[in-house]
mmCIF file of all heavy atoms in Angstrom:
data_model
loop_
_atom_site.group_PDB
_atom_site.id
_atom_site.type_symbol
_atom_site.label_atom_id
_atom_site.label_comp_id
_atom_site.label_asym_id
_atom_site.label_seq_id
_atom_site.Cartn_x
_atom_site.Cartn_y
_atom_site.Cartn_z
ATOM 1 N N GLN A 4 29.776 12.573 -30.953
ATOM 2 C CA GLN A 4 31.203 12.382 -31.230
ATOM 3 C C GLN A 4 31.423 11.876 -32.654
ATOM 4 O O GLN A 4 32.312 12.361 -33.355
ATOM 5 C CB GLN A 4 31.786 11.377 -30.234
ATOM 6 C CG GLN A 4 31.850 11.858 -28.798
ATOM 7 C CD GLN A 4 32.300 10.772 -27.852
ATOM 8 O OE1 GLN A 4 32.836 9.743 -28.280
ATOM 9 N NE2 GLN A 4 32.076 10.974 -26.554
ATOM 10 N N LEU A 5 30.605 10.908 -33.074
ATOM 11 C CA LEU A 5 30.760 10.361 -34.424
ATOM 12 C C LEU A 5 30.425 11.414 -35.477
ATOM 13 O O LEU A 5 31.111 11.522 -36.498
ATOM 14 C CB LEU A 5 29.867 9.135 -34.599
ATOM 15 C CG LEU A 5 30.265 7.917 -33.758
ATOM 16 C CD1 LEU A 5 29.241 6.803 -33.916
ATOM 17 C CD2 LEU A 5 31.647 7.415 -34.144
ATOM 18 N N ARG A 6 29.384 12.201 -35.233
ATOM 19 C CA ARG A 6 29.039 13.281 -36.176
ATOM 20 C C ARG A 6 30.193 14.259 -36.310
ATOM 21 O O ARG A 6 30.545 14.680 -37.411
ATOM 22 C CB ARG A 6 27.781 14.020 -35.707
ATOM 23 C CG ARG A 6 26.476 13.318 -35.990
ATOM 24 C CD ARG A 6 25.302 14.286 -35.892
ATOM 25 N NE ARG A 6 25.260 14.976 -34.601
ATOM 26 C CZ ARG A 6 24.611 14.536 -33.530
ATOM 27 N NH1 ARG A 6 23.954 13.387 -33.598
ATOM 28 N NH2 ARG A 6 24.608 15.220 -32.393
ATOM 29 N N GLU A 7 30.801 14.611 -35.196
ATOM 30 C CA GLU A 7 31.878 15.593 -35.228
ATOM 31 C C GLU A 7 33.101 15.049 -35.969
ATOM 32 O O GLU A 7 33.739 15.768 -36.735
ATOM 33 C CB GLU A 7 32.259 16.009 -33.806
ATOM 34 C CG GLU A 7 33.388 17.045 -33.741
ATOM 35 C CD GLU A 7 33.111 18.278 -34.603
ATOM 36 O OE1 GLU A 7 31.943 18.702 -34.685
ATOM 37 O OE2 GLU A 7 34.073 18.802 -35.216
ATOM 38 N N ARG A 8 33.430 13.770 -35.748
ATOM 39 C CA ARG A 8 34.590 13.197 -36.436
ATOM 40 C C ARG A 8 34.363 13.126 -37.942
ATOM 41 O O ARG A 8 35.247 13.445 -38.728
ATOM 42 C CB ARG A 8 34.899 11.813 -35.874
ATOM 43 C CG ARG A 8 35.451 11.857 -34.458
ATOM 44 C CD ARG A 8 35.978 10.520 -34.002
ATOM 45 N NE ARG A 8 37.142 10.084 -34.770
ATOM 46 C CZ ARG A 8 37.972 9.133 -34.362
ATOM 47 N NH1 ARG A 8 37.759 8.542 -33.193
ATOM 48 N NH2 ARG A 8 38.999 8.769 -35.103
ATOM 49 N N LEU A 9 33.167 12.717 -38.334
ATOM 50 C CA LEU A 9 32.880 12.654 -39.768
ATOM 51 C C LEU A 9 32.786 14.045 -40.364
ATOM 52 O O LEU A 9 33.242 14.289 -41.483
ATOM 53 C CB LEU A 9 31.584 11.871 -40.004
ATOM 54 C CG LEU A 9 31.665 10.370 -39.693
ATOM 55 C CD1 LEU A 9 30.288 9.730 -39.783
ATOM 56 C CD2 LEU A 9 32.633 9.673 -40.629
ATOM 57 N N ASN A 10 32.190 14.985 -39.640
ATOM 58 C CA ASN A 10 32.133 16.368 -40.127
ATOM 59 C C ASN A 10 33.523 16.960 -40.270
ATOM 60 O O ASN A 10 33.810 17.684 -41.227
ATOM 61 C CB ASN A 10 31.295 17.230 -39.172
ATOM 62 C CG ASN A 10 29.812 17.197 -39.485
ATOM 63 O OD1 ASN A 10 29.402 17.425 -40.629
ATOM 64 N ND2 ASN A 10 28.994 16.906 -38.489
ATOM 65 N N SER A 11 34.406 16.646 -39.311
ATOM 66 C CA SER A 11 35.772 17.158 -39.387
ATOM 67 C C SER A 11 36.485 16.631 -40.629
ATOM 68 O O SER A 11 37.184 17.373 -41.332
ATOM 69 C CB SER A 11 36.534 16.781 -38.122
ATOM 70 O OG SER A 11 37.879 17.201 -38.194
ATOM 71 N N LEU A 12 36.319 15.336 -40.898
ATOM 72 C CA LEU A 12 36.924 14.756 -42.099
ATOM 73 C C LEU A 12 36.385 15.422 -43.359
ATOM 74 O O LEU A 12 37.157 15.813 -44.249
ATOM 75 C CB LEU A 12 36.638 13.256 -42.146
ATOM 76 C CG LEU A 12 36.953 12.567 -43.483
ATOM 77 C CD1 LEU A 12 38.456 12.490 -43.688
ATOM 78 C CD2 LEU A 12 36.332 11.179 -43.542
ATOM 79 N N LEU A 13 35.086 15.575 -43.449
ATOM 80 C CA LEU A 13 34.485 16.141 -44.654
ATOM 81 C C LEU A 13 34.824 17.618 -44.812
ATOM 82 O O LEU A 13 34.971 18.102 -45.936
ATOM 83 C CB LEU A 13 32.975 15.925 -44.618
ATOM 84 C CG LEU A 13 32.558 14.453 -44.774
ATOM 85 C CD1 LEU A 13 31.103 14.258 -44.388
ATOM 86 C CD2 LEU A 13 32.786 13.982 -46.195
ATOM 87 N N ARG A 14 34.971 18.340 -43.691
ATOM 88 C CA ARG A 14 35.409 19.741 -43.804
ATOM 89 C C ARG A 14 36.810 19.815 -44.396
ATOM 90 O O ARG A 14 37.114 20.691 -45.215
ATOM 91 C CB ARG A 14 35.375 20.424 -42.427
ATOM 92 C CG ARG A 14 34.010 20.917 -42.009
ATOM 93 C CD ARG A 14 34.113 21.852 -40.812
ATOM 94 N NE ARG A 14 34.633 21.180 -39.621
ATOM 95 C CZ ARG A 14 33.884 20.576 -38.719
ATOM 96 N NH1 ARG A 14 32.562 20.561 -38.868
ATOM 97 N NH2 ARG A 14 34.426 20.000 -37.663
ATOM 98 N N GLY A 15 37.676 18.880 -43.964
ATOM 99 C CA GLY A 15 39.021 18.844 -44.537
ATOM 100 C C GLY A 15 38.998 18.536 -46.018
ATOM 101 O O GLY A 15 39.732 19.144 -46.809
ATOM 102 N N LEU A 16 38.145 17.592 -46.431
ATOM 103 C CA LEU A 16 38.023 17.267 -47.852
ATOM 104 C C LEU A 16 37.456 18.441 -48.630
ATOM 105 O O LEU A 16 37.871 18.723 -49.761
ATOM 106 C CB LEU A 16 37.142 16.028 -48.023
ATOM 107 C CG LEU A 16 37.727 14.706 -47.518
ATOM 108 C CD1 LEU A 16 36.676 13.609 -47.544
ATOM 109 C CD2 LEU A 16 38.938 14.302 -48.360
ATOM 110 N N PHE A 17 36.512 19.152 -48.034
ATOM 111 C CA PHE A 17 35.932 20.326 -48.694
ATOM 112 C C PHE A 17 36.987 21.416 -48.874
ATOM 113 O O PHE A 17 37.110 22.016 -49.951
ATOM 114 C CB PHE A 17 34.755 20.856 -47.873
ATOM 115 C CG PHE A 17 34.224 22.180 -48.343
ATOM 116 C CD1 PHE A 17 33.532 22.280 -49.547
ATOM 117 C CD2 PHE A 17 34.425 23.331 -47.598
ATOM 118 C CE1 PHE A 17 33.040 23.499 -49.991
ATOM 119 C CE2 PHE A 17 33.942 24.556 -48.032
ATOM 120 C CZ PHE A 17 33.253 24.642 -49.224
ATOM 121 N N THR A 18 37.785 21.650 -47.833
ATOM 122 C CA THR A 18 38.837 22.667 -47.916
ATOM 123 C C THR A 18 39.881 22.288 -48.964
ATOM 124 O O THR A 18 40.414 23.151 -49.677
ATOM 125 C CB THR A 18 39.520 22.831 -46.549
ATOM 126 O OG1 THR A 18 38.527 23.191 -45.575
ATOM 127 C CG2 THR A 18 40.590 23.908 -46.602
ATOM 128 N N ALA A 19 40.149 20.983 -49.094
ATOM 129 C CA ALA A 19 41.153 20.520 -50.059
ATOM 130 C C ALA A 19 40.630 20.515 -51.486
ATOM 131 O O ALA A 19 41.415 20.327 -52.423
ATOM 132 C CB ALA A 19 41.627 19.121 -49.674
ATOM 133 N N GLY A 20 39.334 20.677 -51.672
ATOM 134 C CA GLY A 20 38.782 20.723 -53.021
ATOM 135 C C GLY A 20 38.164 19.422 -53.486
ATOM 136 O O GLY A 20 37.804 19.292 -54.656
ATOM 137 N N ALA A 21 38.019 18.433 -52.576
ATOM 138 C CA ALA A 21 37.429 17.161 -52.985
ATOM 139 C C ALA A 21 35.920 17.236 -53.118
ATOM 140 O O ALA A 21 35.313 16.425 -53.819
ATOM 141 C CB ALA A 21 37.801 16.070 -51.974
ATOM 142 N N LEU A 22 35.298 18.203 -52.437
ATOM 143 C CA LEU A 22 33.852 18.353 -52.464
ATOM 144 C C LEU A 22 33.491 19.701 -53.070
ATOM 145 O O LEU A 22 34.214 20.689 -52.904
ATOM 146 C CB LEU A 22 33.265 18.237 -51.052
ATOM 147 C CG LEU A 22 33.669 16.987 -50.258
ATOM 148 C CD1 LEU A 22 33.037 17.022 -48.880
ATOM 149 C CD2 LEU A 22 33.273 15.734 -50.997
ATOM 150 N N ARG A 23 32.379 19.752 -53.759
ATOM 151 C CA ARG A 23 31.978 20.996 -54.402
ATOM 152 C C ARG A 23 30.823 21.634 -53.650
ATOM 153 O O ARG A 23 30.009 20.969 -53.013
ATOM 154 C CB ARG A 23 31.585 20.738 -55.852
ATOM 155 C CG ARG A 23 30.307 19.957 -56.031
ATOM 156 C CD ARG A 23 29.881 19.903 -57.487
ATOM 157 N NE ARG A 23 28.647 19.156 -57.635
ATOM 158 C CZ ARG A 23 28.430 18.223 -58.529
ATOM 159 N NH1 ARG A 23 29.386 17.877 -59.356
ATOM 160 N NH2 ARG A 23 27.261 17.594 -58.606
ATOM 161 N N GLY A 24 30.757 22.951 -53.742
ATOM 162 C CA GLY A 24 29.727 23.721 -53.069
ATOM 163 C C GLY A 24 30.294 25.054 -52.627
ATOM 164 O O GLY A 24 31.492 25.168 -52.336
ATOM 165 N N ALA A 25 29.435 26.057 -52.565
ATOM 166 C CA ALA A 25 29.899 27.376 -52.137
ATOM 167 C C ALA A 25 30.263 27.378 -50.659
ATOM 168 O O ALA A 25 31.146 28.115 -50.222
ATOM 169 C CB ALA A 25 28.825 28.421 -52.428
ATOM 170 N N THR A 26 29.581 26.564 -49.870
ATOM 171 C CA THR A 26 29.860 26.456 -48.441
ATOM 172 C C THR A 26 29.928 24.984 -48.059
ATOM 173 O O THR A 26 29.514 24.103 -48.815
ATOM 174 C CB THR A 26 28.763 27.136 -47.608
ATOM 175 O OG1 THR A 26 27.514 26.441 -47.828
ATOM 176 C CG2 THR A 26 28.606 28.604 -48.005
ATOM 177 N N ALA A 27 30.433 24.734 -46.862
ATOM 178 C CA ALA A 27 30.507 23.360 -46.389
ATOM 179 C C ALA A 27 29.115 22.755 -46.266
ATOM 180 O O ALA A 27 28.917 21.560 -46.510
ATOM 181 C CB ALA A 27 31.232 23.312 -45.045
ATOM 182 N N ALA A 28 28.132 23.568 -45.882
ATOM 183 C CA ALA A 28 26.767 23.064 -45.744
ATOM 184 C C ALA A 28 26.213 22.585 -47.081
ATOM 185 O O ALA A 28 25.404 21.657 -47.124
ATOM 186 C CB ALA A 28 25.869 24.152 -45.150
ATOM 187 N N GLU A 29 26.630 23.215 -48.165
ATOM 188 C CA GLU A 29 26.187 22.780 -49.486
ATOM 189 C C GLU A 29 26.932 21.534 -49.951
ATOM 190 O O GLU A 29 26.415 20.746 -50.751
ATOM 191 C CB GLU A 29 26.404 23.897 -50.514
ATOM 192 C CG GLU A 29 25.497 25.104 -50.340
ATOM 193 C CD GLU A 29 25.731 26.134 -51.423
ATOM 194 O OE1 GLU A 29 26.486 25.835 -52.381
ATOM 195 O OE2 GLU A 29 25.173 27.231 -51.325
ATOM 196 N N ALA A 30 28.141 21.345 -49.446
ATOM 197 C CA ALA A 30 28.990 20.265 -49.942
ATOM 198 C C ALA A 30 28.705 18.919 -49.282
ATOM 199 O O ALA A 30 28.849 17.871 -49.922
ATOM 200 C CB ALA A 30 30.462 20.626 -49.741
ATOM 201 N N PHE A 31 28.307 18.925 -48.002
ATOM 202 C CA PHE A 31 28.108 17.638 -47.328
ATOM 203 C C PHE A 31 27.147 17.786 -46.166
ATOM 204 O O PHE A 31 26.856 18.891 -45.697
ATOM 205 C CB PHE A 31 29.439 17.072 -46.832
ATOM 206 C CG PHE A 31 30.110 17.907 -45.768
ATOM 207 C CD1 PHE A 31 29.827 17.711 -44.417
ATOM 208 C CD2 PHE A 31 31.031 18.887 -46.113
ATOM 209 C CE1 PHE A 31 30.439 18.478 -43.444
ATOM 210 C CE2 PHE A 31 31.656 19.654 -45.138
ATOM 211 C CZ PHE A 31 31.359 19.447 -43.802
ATOM 212 N N ASN A 32 26.661 16.639 -45.715
ATOM 213 C CA ASN A 32 25.746 16.593 -44.589
ATOM 214 C C ASN A 32 25.931 15.255 -43.875
ATOM 215 O O ASN A 32 26.043 14.211 -44.529
ATOM 216 C CB ASN A 32 24.295 16.740 -45.061
ATOM 217 C CG ASN A 32 23.314 16.589 -43.913
ATOM 218 O OD1 ASN A 32 23.455 17.205 -42.871
ATOM 219 N ND2 ASN A 32 22.309 15.743 -44.113
ATOM 220 N N VAL A 33 25.994 15.278 -42.564
ATOM 221 C CA VAL A 33 26.149 14.067 -41.763
ATOM 222 C C VAL A 33 25.016 14.008 -40.751
ATOM 223 O O VAL A 33 24.764 14.971 -40.023
ATOM 224 C CB VAL A 33 27.506 14.045 -41.021
ATOM 225 C CG1 VAL A 33 27.613 12.794 -40.149
ATOM 226 C CG2 VAL A 33 28.658 14.094 -42.012
ATOM 227 N N ARG A 34 24.347 12.860 -40.711
ATOM 228 C CA ARG A 34 23.289 12.640 -39.722
ATOM 229 C C ARG A 34 23.586 11.364 -38.939
ATOM 230 O O ARG A 34 23.907 10.332 -39.522
ATOM 231 C CB ARG A 34 21.917 12.513 -40.390
ATOM 232 C CG ARG A 34 21.399 13.815 -40.977
ATOM 233 C CD ARG A 34 19.955 13.697 -41.440
ATOM 234 N NE ARG A 34 19.797 12.737 -42.526
ATOM 235 C CZ ARG A 34 19.043 11.652 -42.449
ATOM 236 N NH1 ARG A 34 18.389 11.359 -41.329
ATOM 237 N NH2 ARG A 34 18.949 10.833 -43.490
ATOM 238 N N CYS A 35 23.496 11.452 -37.639
ATOM 239 C CA CYS A 35 23.657 10.288 -36.764
ATOM 240 C C CYS A 35 22.850 10.582 -35.502
ATOM 241 O O CYS A 35 23.338 11.189 -34.548
ATOM 242 C CB CYS A 35 25.134 10.043 -36.442
ATOM 243 S SG CYS A 35 25.420 8.569 -35.414
ATOM 244 N N ASP A 36 21.586 10.203 -35.531
ATOM 245 C CA ASP A 36 20.672 10.472 -34.421
ATOM 246 C C ASP A 36 19.534 9.467 -34.486
ATOM 247 O O ASP A 36 19.598 8.479 -35.214
ATOM 248 C CB ASP A 36 20.162 11.920 -34.476
ATOM 249 C CG ASP A 36 19.635 12.304 -35.854
ATOM 250 O OD1 ASP A 36 19.007 11.427 -36.507
ATOM 251 O OD2 ASP A 36 19.842 13.448 -36.290
ATOM 252 N N ARG A 37 18.472 9.745 -33.749
ATOM 253 C CA ARG A 37 17.358 8.801 -33.715
ATOM 254 C C ARG A 37 16.648 8.672 -35.061
ATOM 255 O O ARG A 37 15.963 7.673 -35.294
ATOM 256 C CB ARG A 37 16.354 9.212 -32.624
ATOM 257 C CG ARG A 37 16.906 9.047 -31.218
ATOM 258 C CD ARG A 37 15.852 9.257 -30.159
ATOM 259 N NE ARG A 37 16.418 9.045 -28.833
ATOM 260 C CZ ARG A 37 16.500 7.864 -28.238
ATOM 261 N NH1 ARG A 37 16.056 6.788 -28.858
ATOM 262 N NH2 ARG A 37 17.027 7.752 -27.040
ATOM 263 N N SER A 38 16.830 9.637 -35.931
ATOM 264 C CA SER A 38 16.186 9.554 -37.247
ATOM 265 C C SER A 38 16.876 8.543 -38.165
ATOM 266 O O SER A 38 16.292 8.115 -39.155
ATOM 267 C CB SER A 38 16.166 10.929 -37.914
ATOM 268 O OG SER A 38 17.483 11.328 -38.276
ATOM 269 N N THR A 39 18.112 8.158 -37.850
ATOM 270 C CA THR A 39 18.846 7.206 -38.702
ATOM 271 C C THR A 39 18.820 5.791 -38.146
ATOM 272 O O THR A 39 19.335 4.874 -38.785
ATOM 273 C CB THR A 39 20.312 7.648 -38.865
ATOM 274 O OG1 THR A 39 20.968 7.595 -37.589
ATOM 275 C CG2 THR A 39 20.411 9.052 -39.430
ATOM 276 N N MET A 40 18.243 5.600 -36.944
ATOM 277 C CA MET A 40 18.255 4.284 -36.308
ATOM 278 C C MET A 40 16.869 3.890 -35.834
ATOM 279 O O MET A 40 16.088 4.742 -35.395
ATOM 280 C CB MET A 40 19.224 4.282 -35.113
ATOM 281 C CG MET A 40 20.692 4.375 -35.497
ATOM 282 S SD MET A 40 21.759 4.735 -34.090
ATOM 283 C CE MET A 40 21.686 6.531 -34.053
ATOM 284 N N SER A 41 16.592 2.608 -35.947
ATOM 285 C CA SER A 41 15.339 2.076 -35.416
ATOM 286 C C SER A 41 15.562 1.628 -33.971
ATOM 287 O O SER A 41 16.697 1.577 -33.477
ATOM 288 C CB SER A 41 14.877 0.889 -36.263
ATOM 289 O OG SER A 41 15.797 -0.188 -36.146
ATOM 290 N N GLN A 42 14.473 1.284 -33.276
ATOM 291 C CA GLN A 42 14.610 0.799 -31.908
ATOM 292 C C GLN A 42 15.392 -0.506 -31.872
ATOM 293 O O GLN A 42 16.158 -0.761 -30.938
ATOM 294 C CB GLN A 42 13.216 0.587 -31.300
ATOM 295 C CG GLN A 42 13.251 0.234 -29.819
ATOM 296 C CD GLN A 42 13.945 1.310 -28.985
ATOM 297 O OE1 GLN A 42 13.682 2.502 -29.141
ATOM 298 N NE2 GLN A 42 14.858 0.895 -28.099
ATOM 299 N N ARG A 43 15.248 -1.316 -32.937
ATOM 300 C CA ARG A 43 16.005 -2.564 -32.994
ATOM 301 C C ARG A 43 17.501 -2.289 -33.087
ATOM 302 O O ARG A 43 18.308 -2.986 -32.470
ATOM 303 C CB ARG A 43 15.541 -3.392 -34.186
ATOM 304 C CG ARG A 43 16.235 -4.749 -34.284
ATOM 305 C CD ARG A 43 15.709 -5.550 -35.447
ATOM 306 N NE ARG A 43 16.381 -6.842 -35.554
ATOM 307 C CZ ARG A 43 16.133 -7.740 -36.485
ATOM 308 N NH1 ARG A 43 15.203 -7.496 -37.407
ATOM 309 N NH2 ARG A 43 16.790 -8.880 -36.503
ATOM 310 N N ASP A 44 17.881 -1.262 -33.870
ATOM 311 C CA ASP A 44 19.291 -0.883 -33.955
ATOM 312 C C ASP A 44 19.824 -0.479 -32.588
ATOM 313 O O ASP A 44 20.924 -0.870 -32.180
ATOM 314 C CB ASP A 44 19.481 0.264 -34.945
ATOM 315 C CG ASP A 44 19.169 -0.132 -36.374
ATOM 316 O OD1 ASP A 44 19.476 -1.277 -36.744
ATOM 317 O OD2 ASP A 44 18.611 0.690 -37.115
ATOM 318 N N LEU A 45 19.017 0.308 -31.861
ATOM 319 C CA LEU A 45 19.449 0.753 -30.540
ATOM 320 C C LEU A 45 19.585 -0.433 -29.581
ATOM 321 O O LEU A 45 20.534 -0.488 -28.789
ATOM 322 C CB LEU A 45 18.445 1.771 -29.983
ATOM 323 C CG LEU A 45 18.289 3.070 -30.783
ATOM 324 C CD1 LEU A 45 17.180 3.927 -30.187
ATOM 325 C CD2 LEU A 45 19.596 3.844 -30.809
ATOM 326 N N ASP A 46 18.662 -1.391 -29.666
ATOM 327 C CA ASP A 46 18.698 -2.542 -28.762
ATOM 328 C C ASP A 46 19.892 -3.447 -29.043
ATOM 329 O O ASP A 46 20.414 -4.095 -28.126
ATOM 330 C CB ASP A 46 17.400 -3.344 -28.901
ATOM 331 C CG ASP A 46 16.186 -2.566 -28.402
ATOM 332 O OD1 ASP A 46 16.377 -1.612 -27.632
ATOM 333 O OD2 ASP A 46 15.055 -2.915 -28.798
ATOM 334 N N THR A 47 20.306 -3.528 -30.313
ATOM 335 C CA THR A 47 21.427 -4.412 -30.682
ATOM 336 C C THR A 47 22.766 -3.700 -30.667
ATOM 337 O O THR A 47 23.785 -4.295 -31.020
ATOM 338 C CB THR A 47 21.187 -5.013 -32.081
ATOM 339 O OG1 THR A 47 21.009 -3.949 -33.030
ATOM 340 C CG2 THR A 47 19.967 -5.903 -32.089
ATOM 341 N N GLY A 48 22.787 -2.436 -30.279
ATOM 342 C CA GLY A 48 24.052 -1.714 -30.173
ATOM 343 C C GLY A 48 24.639 -1.271 -31.498
ATOM 344 O O GLY A 48 25.854 -1.063 -31.599
ATOM 345 N N ARG A 49 23.795 -1.117 -32.510
ATOM 346 C CA ARG A 49 24.284 -0.685 -33.812
ATOM 347 C C ARG A 49 24.022 0.808 -33.988
ATOM 348 O O ARG A 49 22.911 1.281 -33.775
ATOM 349 C CB ARG A 49 23.612 -1.468 -34.936
ATOM 350 C CG ARG A 49 24.198 -1.141 -36.290
ATOM 351 C CD ARG A 49 23.849 -2.166 -37.336
ATOM 352 N NE ARG A 49 22.430 -2.176 -37.680
ATOM 353 C CZ ARG A 49 21.951 -2.758 -38.777
ATOM 354 N NH1 ARG A 49 22.763 -3.387 -39.591
ATOM 355 N NH2 ARG A 49 20.667 -2.737 -39.027
#
């Protein structure tokens, strides 16, 4: 859900011209998964 909300915002910024790149994939990237959090983050609810 968080990835989708942030991706939606950045797609809007890309369409408006705030971000550069031939495609949205070139303009931005959002990651929110186990690769961005440690086990301690998961245990503390962050």
Side-chain angles (χ1 to χ4, degrees):
Q4 292 174 15
L5 293 175
R6 281 198 305 270
E7 180 53 37
R8 290 190 65 163
L9 291 173
N10 273 308
S11 177
L12 168 71
L13 291 166
R14 278 193 296 270
L16 291 171
F17 171 70
T18 302
L22 307 179
R23 69 172 180 227
T26 63
E29 291 182 8
F31 64 88
N32 176 49
V33 178
R34 290 189 296 119
C35 182
D36 50 37
R37 292 188 178 274
S38 69
T39 65
M40 290 167 274
S41 65
Q42 187 59 46
R43 183 178 179 181
D44 294 323
L45 298 175
D46 293 340
T47 57
R49 186 163 68 164

